Amino acid sequence: MATQQKKAAMDIFPAKLIRQICLEAGADEVGFVEIDRPELAQERQGILENYPATQTIISLSRALNRENVQSPARPLYNGEVRRTEEDLSRISGEIMRHLNSQDIRGVILNPAFPMDMNRWPGKTWDVSHKTMAVEAGIGVMGLNRLVLSPRFGSNIFLNSILINAQVDPYDQRLEQNPCLNCRLCAAVCPTGAVQKDGAFDFLACATHSYRDLSGGFDWAAALLTSGDLGEYRAQFQDRETMGLWQSLLFGFNHKCGYCQAVCPVGDVGMPRYLADKKGYFQELVKPLKERAEPVYVLPGSQAESRVKSNSHKEIRYAKLARPLQ
Ligand code: B12
Ligand code: SF4
Ligand code: SF4
């Protein structure tokens, strides 16, 4: 194993060959980043802890079906998210098997979960796939804080593979940011997490969209501390219990993702938006902005004021089980 690692590390593999392996396995976009690139300074420790022999990071994207992402029926969005994440994990495994046959070794990271919950409430992920995708020239971060690929816009999921071989040539950042600064993502965001000046309120988004995941951890406390069913039901309505129960049984569901849904960037959305901006707003932004639904907020937060200003939304208060750092 040690000899194999050294051998591959000394070889330099043509990017064309590895790219072909990745695309044939089902990735939609691929790029390569060298481990010693200065822009990876914040990420290097996490990468090397996962795989000390890393020479190259392979960044991959897989596109989601745009219409599922845009549908006001959020179970359709969540089904598509789940399929795409599973596809991406399977594709990454397939790529690694092919690379192994070329004498290249490495590790496949997880697109999202599982993460290292021993570090909760700190940073539980090791490598930011967005940073890798930006460096690999797959896309640029838009106002919505998602990587926008010129071809698929924000409708991509990302993963990274760490390998022990060098690749030639490496990819570079895109020169142009495809973000139009149309601010539709900020307009549709029910919690005000995406802000027009480019700031992002991490806690507002996590409290609402991740309600059935980490945001819903106060459920455990309510189950433990409620004296009787009445006291429990005063904190969690039956529909909320069913939502959490469903997420536990079938995999968790996001409450939102609207900033991903409305972004016009990409081959399909951009011409449609530029041809008829008002029509685009009516058809794709308004139904989500005015969707009747509960929105979860922390008391006293900016998200609370934001939800109160939208008469279509029902405010629901969440508790932090422990303060986030
Ligand atoms: C943490 C995380 C979140 C957090 C924070 C989001 C964020 N902007 O970082 C929350 C829960 C809010 C979240 C929500 C969503 N996410 Co998310 N998430 C991640 C994760 C695990 C890491 C993100 C990251 O690298 N952040 C660091 C830097 C690069 O991001 P940043 O925006 O510049 O900085 C923010 C964070 O660093 C955070 N922060 C700063 N310090 C600290 C400290 C601690 C302790 C914590 C917890 C956070 C934190 O605050 C900063 C400002 O907001 C990645 C998977 C991965 N391993 O990469 C997926 C990922 C970024 N998520 C993704 C998606 C799709 C979503 C959602 C649409 C899902 C949904 N339906 O809810 C929303 C969209 C929210 C948004 N507009 O960003 C995709 C993005 C794909 C793309 N096209 O870019 C990823 C890459 C997953 C994947 N495999 O594809 N996510
Ligand atoms: S997922 Fe929803 S709450 Fe989170 S930033 Fe996007 S629009 Fe806002
Ligand atoms: S919705 Fe508009 S402002 Fe937001 S990321 Fe997309 S192009 Fe940029």
PDB file of all heavy atoms in Angstrom, residues 77 111 115 122-123 125 127-130 144-147 156-158 200 202 205 209-210 254 257 259, ligand 1:
ATOM      1  N   TYR A  77     -39.090  18.476  -4.441  1.00  0.00           N
ATOM      2  CA  TYR A  77     -37.717  19.002  -4.304  1.00  0.00           C
ATOM      3  C   TYR A  77     -36.879  18.040  -3.468  1.00  0.00           C
ATOM      4  O   TYR A  77     -35.774  17.655  -3.858  1.00  0.00           O
ATOM      5  CB  TYR A  77     -37.761  20.388  -3.651  1.00  0.00           C
ATOM      6  CG  TYR A  77     -36.406  20.936  -3.219  1.00  0.00           C
ATOM      7  CD1 TYR A  77     -35.413  21.205  -4.150  1.00  0.00           C
ATOM      8  CD2 TYR A  77     -36.122  21.195  -1.880  1.00  0.00           C
ATOM      9  CE1 TYR A  77     -34.175  21.714  -3.764  1.00  0.00           C
ATOM     10  CE2 TYR A  77     -34.899  21.705  -1.477  1.00  0.00           C
ATOM     11  CZ  TYR A  77     -33.929  21.963  -2.434  1.00  0.00           C
ATOM     12  OH  TYR A  77     -32.700  22.454  -2.039  1.00  0.00           O
ATOM     13  N   PRO A 111     -21.103  14.057   0.119  1.00  0.00           N
ATOM     14  CA  PRO A 111     -21.660  15.340  -0.360  1.00  0.00           C
ATOM     15  C   PRO A 111     -22.164  16.202   0.805  1.00  0.00           C
ATOM     16  O   PRO A 111     -21.961  17.396   0.829  1.00  0.00           O
ATOM     17  CB  PRO A 111     -22.818  14.916  -1.269  1.00  0.00           C
ATOM     18  CG  PRO A 111     -22.492  13.523  -1.703  1.00  0.00           C
ATOM     19  CD  PRO A 111     -21.731  12.898  -0.560  1.00  0.00           C
ATOM     20  N   MET A 115     -21.685  13.748   8.930  1.00  0.00           N
ATOM     21  CA  MET A 115     -20.565  14.624   9.299  1.00  0.00           C
ATOM     22  C   MET A 115     -20.101  14.231  10.703  1.00  0.00           C
ATOM     23  O   MET A 115     -20.710  13.365  11.331  1.00  0.00           O
ATOM     24  CB  MET A 115     -21.022  16.080   9.321  1.00  0.00           C
ATOM     25  CG  MET A 115     -21.477  16.608   7.984  1.00  0.00           C
ATOM     26  SD  MET A 115     -21.884  18.365   8.130  1.00  0.00           S
ATOM     27  CE  MET A 115     -22.937  18.574   6.701  1.00  0.00           C
ATOM     28  N   GLY A 122     -19.845  23.055  16.789  1.00  0.00           N
ATOM     29  CA  GLY A 122     -18.828  23.706  15.949  1.00  0.00           C
ATOM     30  C   GLY A 122     -18.967  23.265  14.503  1.00  0.00           C
ATOM     31  O   GLY A 122     -20.007  22.735  14.103  1.00  0.00           O
ATOM     32  N   LYS A 123     -17.905  23.445  13.742  1.00  0.00           N
ATOM     33  CA  LYS A 123     -17.931  23.128  12.294  1.00  0.00           C
ATOM     34  C   LYS A 123     -17.832  21.612  12.125  1.00  0.00           C
ATOM     35  O   LYS A 123     -16.798  21.026  12.447  1.00  0.00           O
ATOM     36  CB  LYS A 123     -16.745  23.849  11.642  1.00  0.00           C
ATOM     37  CG  LYS A 123     -16.642  23.714  10.144  1.00  0.00           C
ATOM     38  CD  LYS A 123     -15.513  24.627   9.640  1.00  0.00           C
ATOM     39  CE  LYS A 123     -15.208  24.390   8.180  1.00  0.00           C
ATOM     40  NZ  LYS A 123     -14.350  23.230   7.948  1.00  0.00           N
ATOM     41  N   TRP A 125     -18.285  19.784   9.266  1.00  0.00           N
ATOM     42  CA  TRP A 125     -17.796  19.273   7.982  1.00  0.00           C
ATOM     43  C   TRP A 125     -16.308  19.575   7.850  1.00  0.00           C
ATOM     44  O   TRP A 125     -15.813  20.511   8.463  1.00  0.00           O
ATOM     45  CB  TRP A 125     -18.584  19.889   6.811  1.00  0.00           C
ATOM     46  CG  TRP A 125     -18.414  21.367   6.655  1.00  0.00           C
ATOM     47  CD1 TRP A 125     -17.543  22.020   5.829  1.00  0.00           C
ATOM     48  CD2 TRP A 125     -19.124  22.411   7.346  1.00  0.00           C
ATOM     49  NE1 TRP A 125     -17.660  23.388   5.957  1.00  0.00           N
ATOM     50  CE2 TRP A 125     -18.617  23.650   6.877  1.00  0.00           C
ATOM     51  CE3 TRP A 125     -20.132  22.419   8.306  1.00  0.00           C
ATOM     52  CZ2 TRP A 125     -19.084  24.874   7.341  1.00  0.00           C
ATOM     53  CZ3 TRP A 125     -20.590  23.651   8.764  1.00  0.00           C
ATOM     54  CH2 TRP A 125     -20.076  24.854   8.292  1.00  0.00           C
ATOM     55  N   VAL A 127     -14.449  19.572   4.639  1.00  0.00           N
ATOM     56  CA  VAL A 127     -14.034  20.204   3.387  1.00  0.00           C
ATOM     57  C   VAL A 127     -15.243  20.910   2.788  1.00  0.00           C
ATOM     58  O   VAL A 127     -16.324  20.326   2.698  1.00  0.00           O
ATOM     59  CB  VAL A 127     -13.503  19.134   2.390  1.00  0.00           C
ATOM     60  CG1 VAL A 127     -13.125  19.772   1.059  1.00  0.00           C
ATOM     61  CG2 VAL A 127     -12.305  18.395   2.992  1.00  0.00           C
ATOM     62  N   SER A 128     -15.039  22.149   2.394  1.00  0.00           N
ATOM     63  CA  SER A 128     -16.118  22.900   1.757  1.00  0.00           C
ATOM     64  C   SER A 128     -16.131  22.600   0.261  1.00  0.00           C
ATOM     65  O   SER A 128     -15.232  23.025  -0.473  1.00  0.00           O
ATOM     66  CB  SER A 128     -15.916  24.395   1.991  1.00  0.00           C
ATOM     67  OG  SER A 128     -16.759  25.100   1.113  1.00  0.00           O
ATOM     68  N   HIS A 129     -17.159  21.895  -0.178  1.00  0.00           N
ATOM     69  CA  HIS A 129     -17.235  21.554  -1.611  1.00  0.00           C
ATOM     70  C   HIS A 129     -17.412  22.814  -2.469  1.00  0.00           C
ATOM     71  O   HIS A 129     -17.010  22.831  -3.625  1.00  0.00           O
ATOM     72  CB  HIS A 129     -18.396  20.594  -1.869  1.00  0.00           C
ATOM     73  CG  HIS A 129     -18.294  19.309  -1.095  1.00  0.00           C
ATOM     74  ND1 HIS A 129     -17.129  18.573  -1.026  1.00  0.00           N
ATOM     75  CD2 HIS A 129     -19.210  18.620  -0.370  1.00  0.00           C
ATOM     76  CE1 HIS A 129     -17.339  17.498  -0.279  1.00  0.00           C
ATOM     77  NE2 HIS A 129     -18.588  17.509   0.132  1.00  0.00           N
ATOM     78  N   LYS A 130     -18.020  23.858  -1.876  1.00  0.00           N
ATOM     79  CA  LYS A 130     -18.206  25.095  -2.658  1.00  0.00           C
ATOM     80  C   LYS A 130     -16.849  25.714  -2.994  1.00  0.00           C
ATOM     81  O   LYS A 130     -16.616  26.129  -4.120  1.00  0.00           O
ATOM     82  CB  LYS A 130     -19.037  26.116  -1.857  1.00  0.00           C
ATOM     83  CG  LYS A 130     -20.507  25.755  -1.750  1.00  0.00           C
ATOM     84  CD  LYS A 130     -21.355  26.924  -1.237  1.00  0.00           C
ATOM     85  CE  LYS A 130     -21.108  27.260   0.207  1.00  0.00           C
ATOM     86  NZ  LYS A 130     -22.036  28.278   0.742  1.00  0.00           N
ATOM     87  N   ASN A 144     -26.796  34.217  -3.633  1.00  0.00           N
ATOM     88  CA  ASN A 144     -27.498  33.214  -2.806  1.00  0.00           C
ATOM     89  C   ASN A 144     -26.547  32.290  -2.050  1.00  0.00           C
ATOM     90  O   ASN A 144     -26.985  31.340  -1.414  1.00  0.00           O
ATOM     91  CB  ASN A 144     -28.485  32.393  -3.662  1.00  0.00           C
ATOM     92  CG  ASN A 144     -27.806  31.624  -4.783  1.00  0.00           C
ATOM     93  OD1 ASN A 144     -26.588  31.615  -4.891  1.00  0.00           O
ATOM     94  ND2 ASN A 144     -28.605  30.978  -5.618  1.00  0.00           N
ATOM     95  N   ARG A 145     -25.230  32.557  -2.145  1.00  0.00           N
ATOM     96  CA  ARG A 145     -24.200  31.755  -1.457  1.00  0.00           C
ATOM     97  C   ARG A 145     -24.092  30.338  -1.989  1.00  0.00           C
ATOM     98  O   ARG A 145     -23.559  29.452  -1.323  1.00  0.00           O
ATOM     99  CB  ARG A 145     -24.448  31.678   0.047  1.00  0.00           C
ATOM    100  CG  ARG A 145     -24.033  32.904   0.795  1.00  0.00           C
ATOM    101  CD  ARG A 145     -22.528  33.079   0.811  1.00  0.00           C
ATOM    102  NE  ARG A 145     -22.209  34.348   1.410  1.00  0.00           N
ATOM    103  CZ  ARG A 145     -21.479  34.501   2.482  1.00  0.00           C
ATOM    104  NH1 ARG A 145     -20.950  33.469   3.074  1.00  0.00           N
ATOM    105  NH2 ARG A 145     -21.235  35.691   2.952  1.00  0.00           N
ATOM    106  N   LEU A 146     -24.656  30.098  -3.177  1.00  0.00           N
ATOM    107  CA  LEU A 146     -24.498  28.786  -3.790  1.00  0.00           C
ATOM    108  C   LEU A 146     -23.565  28.955  -4.986  1.00  0.00           C
ATOM    109  O   LEU A 146     -23.480  30.048  -5.575  1.00  0.00           O
ATOM    110  CB  LEU A 146     -25.855  28.245  -4.259  1.00  0.00           C
ATOM    111  CG  LEU A 146     -26.871  28.033  -3.127  1.00  0.00           C
ATOM    112  CD1 LEU A 146     -28.248  27.722  -3.691  1.00  0.00           C
ATOM    113  CD2 LEU A 146     -26.423  26.916  -2.188  1.00  0.00           C
ATOM    114  N   VAL A 147     -22.881  27.864  -5.352  1.00  0.00           N
ATOM    115  CA  VAL A 147     -22.022  27.918  -6.534  1.00  0.00           C
ATOM    116  C   VAL A 147     -22.933  27.880  -7.759  1.00  0.00           C
ATOM    117  O   VAL A 147     -23.768  26.981  -7.900  1.00  0.00           O
ATOM    118  CB  VAL A 147     -21.025  26.739  -6.546  1.00  0.00           C
ATOM    119  CG1 VAL A 147     -20.257  26.703  -7.860  1.00  0.00           C
ATOM    120  CG2 VAL A 147     -20.066  26.863  -5.374  1.00  0.00           C
ATOM    121  N   ILE A 156     -27.072  22.468  -8.881  1.00  0.00           N
ATOM    122  CA  ILE A 156     -26.068  21.399  -8.836  1.00  0.00           C
ATOM    123  C   ILE A 156     -25.787  21.012  -7.393  1.00  0.00           C
ATOM    124  O   ILE A 156     -25.851  21.857  -6.502  1.00  0.00           O
ATOM    125  CB  ILE A 156     -24.725  21.810  -9.513  1.00  0.00           C
ATOM    126  CG1 ILE A 156     -24.246  23.190  -9.035  1.00  0.00           C
ATOM    127  CG2 ILE A 156     -24.838  21.764 -11.023  1.00  0.00           C
ATOM    128  CD1 ILE A 156     -22.843  23.562  -9.515  1.00  0.00           C
ATOM    129  N   PHE A 157     -25.488  19.743  -7.207  1.00  0.00           N
ATOM    130  CA  PHE A 157     -24.913  19.293  -5.948  1.00  0.00           C
ATOM    131  C   PHE A 157     -23.447  18.978  -6.204  1.00  0.00           C
ATOM    132  O   PHE A 157     -23.058  18.655  -7.327  1.00  0.00           O
ATOM    133  CB  PHE A 157     -25.673  18.090  -5.389  1.00  0.00           C
ATOM    134  CG  PHE A 157     -26.762  18.529  -4.471  1.00  0.00           C
ATOM    135  CD1 PHE A 157     -27.994  18.894  -4.974  1.00  0.00           C
ATOM    136  CD2 PHE A 157     -26.545  18.634  -3.105  1.00  0.00           C
ATOM    137  CE1 PHE A 157     -28.993  19.361  -4.141  1.00  0.00           C
ATOM    138  CE2 PHE A 157     -27.542  19.093  -2.269  1.00  0.00           C
ATOM    139  CZ  PHE A 157     -28.772  19.462  -2.784  1.00  0.00           C
ATOM    140  N   LEU A 158     -22.658  19.091  -5.134  1.00  0.00           N
ATOM    141  CA  LEU A 158     -21.207  19.013  -5.288  1.00  0.00           C
ATOM    142  C   LEU A 158     -20.626  17.905  -4.432  1.00  0.00           C
ATOM    143  O   LEU A 158     -21.177  17.559  -3.384  1.00  0.00           O
ATOM    144  CB  LEU A 158     -20.582  20.344  -4.853  1.00  0.00           C
ATOM    145  CG  LEU A 158     -21.088  21.590  -5.580  1.00  0.00           C
ATOM    146  CD1 LEU A 158     -20.608  22.846  -4.871  1.00  0.00           C
ATOM    147  CD2 LEU A 158     -20.615  21.598  -7.034  1.00  0.00           C
ATOM    148  N   PHE A 200     -24.893  36.796   4.762  1.00  0.00           N
ATOM    149  CA  PHE A 200     -25.704  35.576   4.852  1.00  0.00           C
ATOM    150  C   PHE A 200     -25.913  35.228   6.316  1.00  0.00           C
ATOM    151  O   PHE A 200     -24.948  35.104   7.070  1.00  0.00           O
ATOM    152  CB  PHE A 200     -25.009  34.417   4.115  1.00  0.00           C
ATOM    153  CG  PHE A 200     -25.855  33.172   4.065  1.00  0.00           C
ATOM    154  CD1 PHE A 200     -26.884  33.064   3.143  1.00  0.00           C
ATOM    155  CD2 PHE A 200     -25.640  32.127   4.948  1.00  0.00           C
ATOM    156  CE1 PHE A 200     -27.689  31.923   3.102  1.00  0.00           C
ATOM    157  CE2 PHE A 200     -26.433  30.988   4.916  1.00  0.00           C
ATOM    158  CZ  PHE A 200     -27.464  30.891   3.985  1.00  0.00           C
ATOM    159  N   PHE A 202     -26.505  32.630   8.533  1.00  0.00           N
ATOM    160  CA  PHE A 202     -26.418  31.162   8.623  1.00  0.00           C
ATOM    161  C   PHE A 202     -27.489  30.594   9.553  1.00  0.00           C
ATOM    162  O   PHE A 202     -28.176  29.626   9.226  1.00  0.00           O
ATOM    163  CB  PHE A 202     -25.010  30.807   9.121  1.00  0.00           C
ATOM    164  CG  PHE A 202     -24.860  29.421   9.667  1.00  0.00           C
ATOM    165  CD1 PHE A 202     -24.603  28.347   8.818  1.00  0.00           C
ATOM    166  CD2 PHE A 202     -24.978  29.172  11.024  1.00  0.00           C
ATOM    167  CE1 PHE A 202     -24.475  27.067   9.311  1.00  0.00           C
ATOM    168  CE2 PHE A 202     -24.854  27.890  11.530  1.00  0.00           C
ATOM    169  CZ  PHE A 202     -24.598  26.838  10.666  1.00  0.00           C
ATOM    170  N   CYS A 205     -31.206  30.555   8.258  1.00  0.00           N
ATOM    171  CA  CYS A 205     -31.466  29.487   7.285  1.00  0.00           C
ATOM    172  C   CYS A 205     -31.481  28.133   7.977  1.00  0.00           C
ATOM    173  O   CYS A 205     -32.404  27.337   7.779  1.00  0.00           O
ATOM    174  CB  CYS A 205     -30.410  29.503   6.178  1.00  0.00           C
ATOM    175  SG  CYS A 205     -30.617  28.150   5.019  1.00  0.00           S
ATOM    176  N   SER A 209     -34.733  25.945   7.445  1.00  0.00           N
ATOM    177  CA  SER A 209     -34.664  24.904   6.406  1.00  0.00           C
ATOM    178  C   SER A 209     -34.223  23.552   6.984  1.00  0.00           C
ATOM    179  O   SER A 209     -34.635  22.500   6.505  1.00  0.00           O
ATOM    180  CB  SER A 209     -33.738  25.335   5.272  1.00  0.00           C
ATOM    181  OG  SER A 209     -33.965  24.511   4.156  1.00  0.00           O
ATOM    182  N   TYR A 210     -33.399  23.605   8.029  1.00  0.00           N
ATOM    183  CA  TYR A 210     -32.917  22.362   8.666  1.00  0.00           C
ATOM    184  C   TYR A 210     -33.761  22.002   9.891  1.00  0.00           C
ATOM    185  O   TYR A 210     -33.297  21.284  10.772  1.00  0.00           O
ATOM    186  CB  TYR A 210     -31.445  22.529   9.069  1.00  0.00           C
ATOM    187  CG  TYR A 210     -30.459  22.247   7.965  1.00  0.00           C
ATOM    188  CD1 TYR A 210     -30.710  22.632   6.652  1.00  0.00           C
ATOM    189  CD2 TYR A 210     -29.254  21.601   8.223  1.00  0.00           C
ATOM    190  CE1 TYR A 210     -29.806  22.390   5.640  1.00  0.00           C
ATOM    191  CE2 TYR A 210     -28.338  21.343   7.210  1.00  0.00           C
ATOM    192  CZ  TYR A 210     -28.620  21.746   5.924  1.00  0.00           C
ATOM    193  OH  TYR A 210     -27.724  21.502   4.917  1.00  0.00           O
ATOM    194  N   HIS A 254     -35.670  19.022   3.623  1.00  0.00           N
ATOM    195  CA  HIS A 254     -35.458  20.462   3.779  1.00  0.00           C
ATOM    196  C   HIS A 254     -36.807  21.172   3.764  1.00  0.00           C
ATOM    197  O   HIS A 254     -37.709  20.776   3.029  1.00  0.00           O
ATOM    198  CB  HIS A 254     -34.649  21.007   2.597  1.00  0.00           C
ATOM    199  CG  HIS A 254     -33.268  20.456   2.486  1.00  0.00           C
ATOM    200  ND1 HIS A 254     -32.217  20.976   3.182  1.00  0.00           N
ATOM    201  CD2 HIS A 254     -32.782  19.444   1.750  1.00  0.00           C
ATOM    202  CE1 HIS A 254     -31.122  20.296   2.880  1.00  0.00           C
ATOM    203  NE2 HIS A 254     -31.435  19.358   2.016  1.00  0.00           N
ATOM    204  N   GLY A 257     -35.016  25.848   0.403  1.00  0.00           N
ATOM    205  CA  GLY A 257     -34.269  25.729  -0.862  1.00  0.00           C
ATOM    206  C   GLY A 257     -34.772  26.698  -1.922  1.00  0.00           C
ATOM    207  O   GLY A 257     -34.463  26.555  -3.102  1.00  0.00           O
ATOM    208  N   CYS A 259     -33.907  29.755  -2.504  1.00  0.00           N
ATOM    209  CA  CYS A 259     -32.839  30.545  -3.129  1.00  0.00           C
ATOM    210  C   CYS A 259     -32.213  29.770  -4.296  1.00  0.00           C
ATOM    211  O   CYS A 259     -31.678  30.348  -5.236  1.00  0.00           O
ATOM    212  CB  CYS A 259     -31.772  30.903  -2.096  1.00  0.00           C
ATOM    213  SG  CYS A 259     -31.181  29.459  -1.178  1.00  0.00           S
TER     214      CYS A 259
HETATM  215  C1  B12 B   1     -22.903  24.167   6.411  1.00  0.00           C
HETATM  216  C2  B12 B   1     -23.753  23.989   5.182  1.00  0.00           C
HETATM  217  C3  B12 B   1     -24.976  24.643   5.153  1.00  0.00           C
HETATM  218  C4  B12 B   1     -25.375  25.636   6.229  1.00  0.00           C
HETATM  219  C5  B12 B   1     -24.599  26.964   5.966  1.00  0.00           C
HETATM  220  C6  B12 B   1     -24.671  27.408   4.502  1.00  0.00           C
HETATM  221  C7  B12 B   1     -23.441  28.186   4.046  1.00  0.00           C
HETATM  222  N1  B12 B   1     -23.671  29.231   3.295  1.00  0.00           N
HETATM  223  O1  B12 B   1     -22.326  27.831   4.335  1.00  0.00           O
HETATM  224  C8  B12 B   1     -26.923  25.722   6.037  1.00  0.00           C
HETATM  225  C9  B12 B   1     -27.643  24.837   6.993  1.00  0.00           C
HETATM  226  C10 B12 B   1     -27.509  27.113   6.224  1.00  0.00           C
HETATM  227  C11 B12 B   1     -27.066  25.207   4.603  1.00  0.00           C
HETATM  228  C12 B12 B   1     -28.175  25.416   3.838  1.00  0.00           C
HETATM  229  C13 B12 B   1     -28.272  25.055   2.496  1.00  0.00           C
HETATM  230  N2  B12 B   1     -27.399  24.275   1.819  1.00  0.00           N
HETATM  231 CO1  B12 B   1     -25.741  23.638   2.538  1.00  0.00          CO
HETATM  232  N3  B12 B   1     -24.075  22.953   3.071  1.00  0.00           N
HETATM  233  C14 B12 B   1     -23.332  23.200   4.097  1.00  0.00           C
HETATM  234  C15 B12 B   1     -21.978  22.465   3.974  1.00  0.00           C
HETATM  235  C16 B12 B   1     -21.967  21.287   4.913  1.00  0.00           C
HETATM  236  C17 B12 B   1     -20.762  23.355   4.219  1.00  0.00           C
HETATM  237  C18 B12 B   1     -20.898  24.771   3.616  1.00  0.00           C
HETATM  238  C19 B12 B   1     -19.609  25.526   3.625  1.00  0.00           C
HETATM  239  O2  B12 B   1     -18.638  25.052   3.123  1.00  0.00           O
HETATM  240  N4  B12 B   1     -19.561  26.710   4.191  1.00  0.00           N
HETATM  241  C20 B12 B   1     -18.317  27.490   4.280  1.00  0.00           C
HETATM  242  C21 B12 B   1     -18.244  28.653   3.287  1.00  0.00           C
HETATM  243  C22 B12 B   1     -17.609  28.289   1.962  1.00  0.00           C
HETATM  244  O3  B12 B   1     -19.540  29.094   3.044  1.00  0.00           O
HETATM  245  P1  B12 B   1     -19.888  30.604   3.185  1.00  0.00           P
HETATM  246  O4  B12 B   1     -21.286  30.729   2.640  1.00  0.00           O
HETATM  247  O5  B12 B   1     -18.879  31.477   2.588  1.00  0.00           O
HETATM  248  O6  B12 B   1     -19.796  30.903   4.787  1.00  0.00           O
HETATM  249  C23 B12 B   1     -20.785  30.600   5.733  1.00  0.00           C
HETATM  250  C24 B12 B   1     -20.451  29.440   6.634  1.00  0.00           C
HETATM  251  O7  B12 B   1     -19.053  29.334   6.730  1.00  0.00           O
HETATM  252  C25 B12 B   1     -21.115  29.811   7.976  1.00  0.00           C
HETATM  253  N5  B12 B   1     -20.212  29.733   9.124  1.00  0.00           N
HETATM  254  C26 B12 B   1     -19.224  30.543   9.400  1.00  0.00           C
HETATM  255  N6  B12 B   1     -18.629  30.190  10.530  1.00  0.00           N
HETATM  256  C27 B12 B   1     -19.297  29.096  11.006  1.00  0.00           C
HETATM  257  C28 B12 B   1     -19.107  28.358  12.142  1.00  0.00           C
HETATM  258  C29 B12 B   1     -19.941  27.273  12.385  1.00  0.00           C
HETATM  259  C30 B12 B   1     -19.740  26.462  13.621  1.00  0.00           C
HETATM  260  C31 B12 B   1     -20.967  26.943  11.461  1.00  0.00           C
HETATM  261  C32 B12 B   1     -21.842  25.757  11.711  1.00  0.00           C
HETATM  262  C33 B12 B   1     -21.128  27.726  10.309  1.00  0.00           C
HETATM  263  C34 B12 B   1     -20.309  28.811  10.100  1.00  0.00           C
HETATM  264  O8  B12 B   1     -21.480  31.160   7.893  1.00  0.00           O
HETATM  265  C35 B12 B   1     -20.891  31.727   6.735  1.00  0.00           C
HETATM  266  C36 B12 B   1     -21.797  32.831   6.306  1.00  0.00           C
HETATM  267  O9  B12 B   1     -23.078  32.405   6.278  1.00  0.00           O
HETATM  268  C37 B12 B   1     -21.995  22.030   2.455  1.00  0.00           C
HETATM  269  C38 B12 B   1     -21.416  20.617   2.194  1.00  0.00           C
HETATM  270  C39 B12 B   1     -19.923  20.655   2.205  1.00  0.00           C
HETATM  271  N7  B12 B   1     -19.286  19.768   2.911  1.00  0.00           N
HETATM  272  O10 B12 B   1     -19.324  21.498   1.570  1.00  0.00           O
HETATM  273  C40 B12 B   1     -23.474  22.119   2.046  1.00  0.00           C
HETATM  274  C41 B12 B   1     -23.785  22.821   0.715  1.00  0.00           C
HETATM  275  C42 B12 B   1     -23.048  24.140   0.663  1.00  0.00           C
HETATM  276  N8  B12 B   1     -25.213  23.094   0.835  1.00  0.00           N
HETATM  277  C43 B12 B   1     -25.850  23.050  -0.286  1.00  0.00           C
HETATM  278  C44 B12 B   1     -27.228  23.345  -0.435  1.00  0.00           C
HETATM  279  C45 B12 B   1     -27.842  23.008  -1.780  1.00  0.00           C
HETATM  280  C46 B12 B   1     -27.947  23.952   0.598  1.00  0.00           C
HETATM  281  C47 B12 B   1     -29.423  24.364   0.595  1.00  0.00           C
HETATM  282  C48 B12 B   1     -30.066  24.818  -0.727  1.00  0.00           C
HETATM  283  C49 B12 B   1     -30.215  23.170   1.157  1.00  0.00           C
HETATM  284  C50 B12 B   1     -31.601  23.480   1.637  1.00  0.00           C
HETATM  285  N9  B12 B   1     -32.591  23.182   0.840  1.00  0.00           N
HETATM  286  O11 B12 B   1     -31.727  23.972   2.737  1.00  0.00           O
HETATM  287  C51 B12 B   1     -29.391  25.519   1.628  1.00  0.00           C
HETATM  288  C52 B12 B   1     -29.015  26.844   0.928  1.00  0.00           C
HETATM  289  C53 B12 B   1     -28.533  27.915   1.859  1.00  0.00           C
HETATM  290  C54 B12 B   1     -27.622  28.931   1.180  1.00  0.00           C
HETATM  291  N10 B12 B   1     -28.208  29.841   0.416  1.00  0.00           N
HETATM  292  O12 B12 B   1     -26.407  28.852   1.349  1.00  0.00           O
HETATM  293  C55 B12 B   1     -24.929  22.596  -1.426  1.00  0.00           C
HETATM  294  C56 B12 B   1     -24.581  23.778  -2.345  1.00  0.00           C
HETATM  295  C57 B12 B   1     -24.514  23.413  -3.825  1.00  0.00           C
HETATM  296  C58 B12 B   1     -24.161  24.629  -4.645  1.00  0.00           C
HETATM  297  N11 B12 B   1     -24.707  24.726  -5.844  1.00  0.00           N
HETATM  298  O13 B12 B   1     -23.413  25.473  -4.229  1.00  0.00           O
HETATM  299  C59 B12 B   1     -23.684  22.013  -0.618  1.00  0.00           C
HETATM  300  C60 B12 B   1     -22.328  22.211  -1.271  1.00  0.00           C
HETATM  301  C61 B12 B   1     -23.982  20.509  -0.435  1.00  0.00           C
HETATM  302  C62 B12 B   1     -23.621  19.692  -1.684  1.00  0.00           C
HETATM  303  N12 B12 B   1     -22.985  18.568  -1.517  1.00  0.00           N
HETATM  304  O14 B12 B   1     -23.901  20.056  -2.807  1.00  0.00           O
HETATM  305  N13 B12 B   1     -25.942  24.530   4.201  1.00  0.00           N
END
